[in-house]
Amino acid sequence: MLNAAVEIAFVMIATALALNIYRLLVGPDTTDRILAFDTLGINSIALLVLYGISTNSTAYFEVALLLALLGFVGTIALCKFLLRGDISE
């Protein structure tokens, strides 16, 4: 039962990743592209966690946590640059 749910989740998140890449490339505005980049990171984290569940390995959960931290910092830096034109003050 769990294997079927993980496989369905893989397909759904892969579809979400494809739609995020489309929005990242075609987005009408820079803010839409930043939001698509952040959502792409979240979906990548979800794929790592699902792969960790399917392989019964805990290493992927640690990698997902590091990716979440880097994605958060990157999104904040991009938004700060967009608002002020400079990252550091």
Side-chain angles (χ1 to χ4, degrees):
M1 183 73 174
L2 181 65
N3 291 333
V6 168
E7 289 177 12
I8 291 170
F10 269 126
V11 171
M12 294 174 85
I13 292 175
T15 305
L17 275 172
L19 293 172
N20 282 330
I21 290 172
Y22 173 76
R23 179 53 60 196
L24 187 65
L25 297 175
V26 181
D29 198 12
T30 307
T31 54
D32 291 330
R33 289 188 172 116
I34 291 173
L35 188 61
F37 181 71
D38 186 44
T39 309
L40 190 74
I42 292 169
N43 286 334
S44 300
I45 292 165
L47 276 178
L48 278 171
V49 169
L50 280 174
Y51 189 71
I53 290 171
S54 67
T55 60
N56 291 327
S57 175
T58 59
Y60 295 104
F61 300 118
E62 295 171 6
V63 173
L65 182 63
L66 288 174
L67 187 63
L69 290 173
L70 287 174
F72 175 73
V73 170
T75 302
I76 295 299
L78 283 172
C79 290
K80 194 171 182 181
F81 178 75
L82 191 65
L83 286 174
R84 298 183 184 164
D86 189 20
I87 295 173
S88 63
E89 293 181 25

